[in-house]
Amino acid sequence: AQTVTQSQPEMSVQEAETVTLSCTYDTSESDYYLFWYKQPPSRQMILVIRQEAYKQQNATENRFSVNFQKAAKSFSLKISDSQLGDAAMYFCASPDLTQGGSEKLVFGKGTKLTVNP
Amino acid sequence: DTAVSQTPKYLVTQMGNDKSIKCEQNLGHDTMYWYKQDSKKFLKIMFSYNNKELIINETVPNRFSPKSPDKAHLNLHINSLELGDSAVYFCASSQGLGRPNSYEQYFGPGTRLTVT
């Protein structure tokens, strides 16, 4: 079965510093997207950033960027200039094609990020 | 405009009752999903519909029955509620099978179900 591993259950960072959240995945798809979602205390799941696997260039969205290592199946999220509002659970997600041909996302168990003032 | 909406946001009920959660998306997406997030924040897919057709049915008790009256709506009905059903239930949608970036999902605000 497809697995997504986030090895850091909790992380903390000082405001204005940089933090990296790690993720490894195990998809068998050849062409795919990878995603990071953020879940603040409001519990809304918010798409933070996506990476297209066939693109060698790492995706960037303002202060959020990824380090995508396709061969290693690694997809880490870097948050620069951390802000208090970045405090949240962060979930990595990878695609999985079911036996019936249906597409679904598999989520990691999440990393709880605390931002210290 | 809210892209994916769910009602209600909070639901408190007693064991044995039957309840429904409604979901609507205005993104023009073909595929909709139900997820369950347990107390440890683990997010697991329950069902998926593509254009009103059930395409994913994970190992979920028969007490859970999804219904999609049209591709913009996906409801979840739960019979004979049990304590273990307490969780946050998320609805999500995506463009649809075979579309570019078909895996990218947009989530509703979640429904916190508490069974007492």
Side-chain angles (χ1 to χ4, degrees):
Chain A
Q2 159 74 294
T3 55
V4 177
T5 303
Q6 293 181 247
S7 58
Q8 307 144 317
E10 296 189 27
M11 292 279 286
S12 62
V13 63
Q14 290 296 125
E15 204 175 354
E17 297 292 308
T18 296
V19 64
T20 299
L21 310 182
S22 66
C23 173
T24 57
Y25 61 96
D26 189 24
T27 187
S28 57
E29 300 243 6
S30 56
D31 185 15
Y32 53 90
Y33 287 75
L34 296 164
F35 307 95
W36 278 97
Y37 284 86
K38 168 185 177 181
Q39 187 179 39
S42 67
R43 82 165 180 253
Q44 175 73 56
M45 291 285 288
I46 302 165
L47 179 62
V48 173
I49 196 166
R50 72 180 71 77
Q51 172 75 44
E52 299 172 57
Y54 66 90
K55 287 189 176 178
Q56 292 187 341
Q57 187 173 6
N58 289 323
T60 300
E61 289 285 343
N62 300 314
R63 297 181 296 106
F64 297 87
S65 61
V66 302
N67 182 2
F68 175 50
Q69 305 286 333
K70 190 173 183 179
K73 292 190 174 176
S74 168
F75 179 56
S76 58
L77 175 69
K78 186 170 87 171
I79 306 173
S80 304
D81 185 25
S82 297
Q83 300 176 358
L84 295 177
D86 295 333
M89 285 288 288
Y90 286 82
F91 294 94
C92 175
S94 167
D96 188 22
L97 198 62
T98 67
Q99 287 184 335
S102 301
E103 300 163 342
K104 66 177 185 178
L105 280 180
V106 176
F107 287 82
K109 292 187 176 180
T111 296
K112 182 179 180 181
L113 178 67
T114 301
V115 181
N116 299 311
Chain B
D1 285 343
T2 304
V4 183
S5 59
Q6 289 178 234
T7 52
K9 287 198 172 66
Y10 298 93
L11 188 51
V12 181
T13 188
Q14 292 184 329
M15 283 176 57
N17 285 348
D18 303 338
K19 290 293 179 186
S20 292
I21 306 171
K22 295 186 176 182
C23 177
E24 176 181 0
Q25 55 95 3
N26 62 6
L27 297 167
H29 288 168
D30 285 345
T31 307
M32 297 184 73
Y33 309 81
W34 278 113
Y35 286 88
K36 180 180 180 180
Q37 186 176 44
D38 61 24
S39 58
K40 294 183 178 178
K41 302 290 187 183
F42 185 54
L43 200 63
K44 192 170 188 315
I45 190 168
M46 299 172 69
F47 302 103
S48 174
Y49 271 75
N50 185 67
N51 227 345
K52 302 192 295 178
E53 180 186 348
L54 180 67
I55 56 171
I56 293 176
N57 185 350
E58 296 287 294
T59 308
V60 177
N62 289 338
R63 300 181 295 102
F64 290 80
S65 54
K67 280 197 173 65
S68 181
D70 55 61
K71 72 175 191 177
H73 295 84
L74 180 61
N75 303 323
L76 182 66
H77 188 75
I78 315 170
N79 289 325
S80 304
L81 278 154
E82 300 177 358
L83 292 177
D85 297 331
S86 294
V88 178
Y89 292 85
F90 284 98
C91 176
S93 72
S94 67
Q95 284 186 351
L97 301 181
R99 303 277 187 86
N101 199 12
S102 58
Y103 288 98
E104 183 168 321
Q105 296 180 17
Y106 294 86
F107 284 78
T111 296
R112 180 177 293 281
L113 172 65
T114 304
V115 182
T116 62

